[in-house]
Amino acid sequence: MADRIEPFRIEVPQDELDDLHARLRHARWPDETPGEGWSRGVPLARLRALAEHWQSGFDWRAQEARLNAYPQFTTEIDGQRIHFLRVRSPRPDAIPLLITHGYPSSVAEFLHLIDLLTAPEQPDAQAFHVIAPSLPGYAYSTPLSGPGWAMGRAAAAWVELMRRLGYDRYGVHGGDVGAGVSGTVAGLDGDRVIGAHVVTDPLTAANVATFLPGMADCLDAADPVDKTILERMDAFRREGSGYLAIQNSRPQTIGYGLVDSPLLLLAWIAEKVHEWTDLPVDDDLLLTNVSLYWFTRSGMTTAHTLYEQAHSMDWGPPASVPQGFAVFGTDETVRRIIPTPAGTHWSEFPRGKHFPAMEAPAELAADLRTFFGPLA
């Protein structure tokens, strides 16, 4: 049956776990230039501590059980295996909410958020049924079926997923790549999507702005706010975009290392989590995310999907549904980069950045309830 949905459990074979531990135990460590901190990448002491914890202290089986506590499924859409969590709320007034992670992330990003959405402590707080797919090429939405899996195609797959699940009305939420996918779903399925809620932060907004044609020409360096945006755009081009340049041009080449070396994969992801957060992310949660990449060999396939997006112009139709923005680590720059029409939901939080579901899940859950509650 083409629409078939199969129950799924994560069950990593023990020999895969033993192999990971052996690779970490026999890792070859480089020297580093003293006194540079994070300016040249992940410091040796930090990566050693993470790797040692991953090898001897981190309990993958406990995290596997934690993930398996949520109902998981797979289905095939457009020739691609799609893995997703579907966590129903006990509340009869719950809103179906499709939430999409970004890069370098996975559904593990939402482990602190799901219960807050499905079972809020306050009896009068809006509840949600949560549907959290793994993007094509990420974690258990692998192997990648072929080229072409940019955000537009992923969004079309999400529309089909929600049809298969029988939802006539639902909301969408995401950050980073997930924000683009969520906005495109709203444009493709506006008759069923009741609202689109996305998260961003000043650094991410400025980074995205570097890819918007003509954005720099619209900014005035004499204006203090515009000057800050231009400086961040320039810093991203010079110092922050190397990971993206490699994956946008040679995903196959970097993929060999991301699949074969747990140290490279760990450094690749840990660097971004460090740079893109200002609130602590628990090391076990970080390593759960990295482990999903490792056990599914998805370092390679996620690189290919970033390549696809860099070479795609498929953004889908614009959304006409109610839109909400939650800005974490807010400052005056984001409103300049993201102009919104009057009446758009706009929330600002002083702390948190790129991964609010991991950094500030209670604040994010509250904002989702504030936005979607009146749309129920």
Side-chain angles (χ1 to χ4, degrees):
M1 221 172 121
D3 289 5
R4 189 167 196 170
I5 295 173
E6 300 278 0
F8 178 81
R9 285 180 60 82
I10 300 172
E11 295 177 332
V12 173
Q14 186 59 43
D15 61 350
E16 290 271 336
L17 200 55
D18 294 342
D19 175 70
L20 169 63
H21 292 162
R23 288 170 184 257
L24 291 167
R25 193 163 51 248
H26 297 110
R28 298 176 63 189
W29 291 95
D31 294 326
E32 69 175 348
T33 304
E36 292 297 324
W38 285 84
S39 65
R40 302 191 183 196
V42 186
L44 181 62
R46 171 59 173 158
L47 199 67
R48 272 191 177 275
L50 276 174
E52 288 171 6
H53 183 53
W54 199 11
Q55 188 261 316
S56 60
F58 173 69
D59 187 348
W60 165 252
R61 293 303 182 197
Q63 300 304 318
E64 186 179 67
R66 185 181 179 191
L67 286 161
N68 283 331
Y70 296 119
Q72 299 176 60
F73 304 88
T74 60
T75 190
E76 184 177 305
I77 301 174
D78 192 11
Q80 174 63 46
R81 181 197 206 204
I82 300 297
H83 162 260
F84 62 98
L85 279 59
R86 187 186 189 190
V87 188
R88 293 182 170 124
S89 171
R91 295 267 296 274
D93 63 340
I95 297 172
L97 182 64
L98 175 66
I99 60 177
T100 306
H101 64 83
Y103 177 86
S105 194
S106 67
V107 293
E109 178 179 342
F110 302 125
L111 284 175
H112 291 326
L113 181 66
I114 291 173
D115 289 347
L116 296 174
L117 295 176
T118 57
E121 292 181 359
Q122 303 84 355
D124 59 342
Q126 180 63 57
F128 299 88
H129 302 301
V130 172
I131 303 91
S134 299
L135 284 164
Y138 288 69
Y140 290 98
S141 289
T142 50
L144 203 59
S145 62
W149 281 104
M151 287 192 290
R153 190 174 176 188
W158 281 194
V159 171
E160 171 60 17
L161 174 63
M162 297 304 277
R163 183 199 68 78
R164 289 186 189 182
L165 294 176
Y167 293 117
D168 295 325
R169 299 177 76 250
Y170 63 96
V172 293
H173 161 76
D176 187 61
V177 177
V181 172
S182 296
T184 306
V185 169
L188 292 171
D189 204 21
D191 290 341
R192 293 192 298 162
V193 173
I194 63 172
H197 182 280
V198 300
V199 294
T200 191
D201 63 272
L203 183 60
T204 299
N207 293 352
V208 171
T210 64
F211 300 104
L212 300 177
M215 182 68 188
D217 297 333
C218 298
L219 300 172
D220 180 3
D223 179 274
V225 176
D226 285 2
K227 183 173 183 287
T228 299
I229 297 170
L230 288 166
E231 288 172 348
R232 288 174 179 166
M233 291 169 63
D234 184 58
F236 178 68
R237 280 188 292 262
R238 287 185 294 104
E239 300 176 4
S241 62
Y243 80 101
L244 200 55
I246 293 172
Q247 294 178 117
N248 286 354
S249 59
R250 296 294 184 270
Q252 187 73 22
T253 302
I254 189 63
Y256 295 115
L258 294 173
V259 167
D260 188 61
S261 169
L263 281 193
L264 177 58
L265 180 67
L266 179 60
W268 200 254
I269 294 177
E271 178 189 273
K272 295 309 162 198
V273 171
H274 171 81
E275 289 183 346
W276 295 347
T277 58
D278 71 349
L279 291 173
V281 171
D282 177 71
D283 282 351
D284 279 0
L285 184 56
L286 168 62
L287 290 173
T288 299
N289 182 53
V290 176
S291 295
L292 286 175
Y293 276 73
W294 177 257
F295 292 127
T296 61
R297 294 161 172 78
S298 52
M300 167 82 80
T301 49
T302 56
H304 278 287
T305 61
L306 293 174
Y307 175 95
E308 296 293 342
Q309 188 56 47
H311 295 80
S312 172
M313 298 301 292
D314 179 16
W315 292 88
S320 59
V321 304
Q323 296 184 58
F325 293 85
V327 183
F328 286 81
T330 188
D331 66 15
E332 65 276 23
T333 65
V334 183
R335 279 192 180 272
R336 193 72 58 89
I337 297 170
I338 309 175
T340 57
T344 299
H345 172 88
W346 188 277
S347 296
E348 297 180 335
F349 300 89
R351 300 296 305 278
K353 282 187 180 178
H354 190 75
F355 300 103
M358 294 195 290
E359 298 177 80
E363 290 85 348
L364 177 55
D367 199 62
L368 285 164
R369 289 193 288 268
T370 299
F371 174 65
F372 282 108
L375 305 176

